[in-house]
Every structure is written in C-alpha cells, then in structure tokens.
Amino acid sequence: MKYLLTSLLALTLFISCSKDDQKDYTAENEKEITDYIAKNKLTAQRTESGLYYVIDVPGTGTQPTAKSNVTVAYRGTFTNGTVFDQSNSDGISFNLYEVIPGWTEGIPFFKTGGSGILLVPSRLAYGNGGREKIPGGAVLIFDVKLIKVNN
C-alpha cells in the first residue's frame, strides 16, 4: 500500500510538472511586451518570431550575421525593471549561434557601434524551464550595445 501511494504521488507530481512545463506563454508574453512598450513609450519593431527590438543608435560599422562572433555590452532585466544580469562596459564576446534565439535573431539588426533594446518572449529565451535567476515563462528585456563584430 505504501509503495502504491508513493507511486501515485510521484505520478501526480510528474503530470502536474509536465503540464506546467508545456504551458504556452505566447499570449501572456505578447501582452507583457506590448504593455511594456506602451508604458515606456517605445517605438519597437516586431519580427515574425515574436521578438521585438528598438534601435536607438543603428551603428555605422559591420553588421553581424547569426553565425558571427561579437562583443556586446548589455543589461538584462525583467519587465518590472529588476536586473538579472549585466556585463561591464567592455562587454563580452560570444558566438551568436551559441546564445538564446532572441539574441541570435536580434543582434544582427545592429551594426558595430549600434545600441538598442531586445524584448524577448520566453520561447526565444529560456522557455518554460527558466534558468538560475530567470523563472520559466519570463519575458527578458536587454539593453544592448554592439561593440564589435569579431568575425
């Protein structure tokens, strides 16, 4: 009997976690992003994937591709303004194909020296599972500056 109850409890937890992991945040994320854009009076463009971006300074140098290695200075926040990560002003270098899909798609909108904002729905970030300080289903806002296209 004890084994049966333990098995049922484990199955119930698995099913409830599985359902939560499968939640579709698309509509919720879209509303959160459009509310953020309106509240902050931003002029943003939306891509077919649901990524929004704002180009404050387009830049004048090289424009990266999704396969480029770039150096970017950034600050990542949630829509409530809480900072979850940031680089120093020298930025960090990485391959665009090795980061979240929102960055792989969004950084190529800028040229070297360009800056702006990426508004990333969860499906283009860490999805339903989240990561460390980032809960599942979270919209991420990145203030970015493309310092250099390394290749």
Side-chain angles (χ1 to χ4, degrees), residues 93-133:
S93 296
F94 50 84
N95 294 314
L96 281 175
Y97 58 85
E98 297 179 329
V99 294
I100 62 172
W103 277 51
T104 304
E105 180 182 358
I107 296 297
F109 288 115
F110 302 95
K111 293 180 180 176
T112 300
S115 63
I117 304 168
L118 298 177
L119 302 103
V120 184
S122 63
R123 73 178 173 285
L124 298 176
Y126 297 105
N128 293 6
R131 182 170 178 234
E132 298 171 13
K133 301 176 197 174

Side-chain angles (χ1 to χ4, degrees), residues 9-69:
L9 178 60
L11 183 61
T12 302
L13 287 173
F14 176 75
I15 291 170
S16 65
C17 289
S18 295
K19 286 180 183 174
D20 192 45
D21 287 347
Q22 295 174 10
K23 180 176 178 181
D24 185 357
Y25 287 95
T26 303
E28 188 177 317
N29 284 179
E30 182 74 14
K31 181 174 181 352
E32 187 174 345
I33 291 171
T34 56
D35 288 352
Y36 181 90
I37 289 169
K39 177 182 176 188
N40 292 282
K41 298 179 174 77
L42 300 175
T43 302
Q45 301 295 316
R46 183 184 189 279
T47 69
E48 201 170 299
S49 71
L51 174 73
Y52 284 83
Y53 65 96
V54 176
I55 297 178
D56 293 324
V57 176
T60 57
T62 305
Q63 191 162 10
T65 70
K67 295 182 180 181
S68 295
N69 181 283

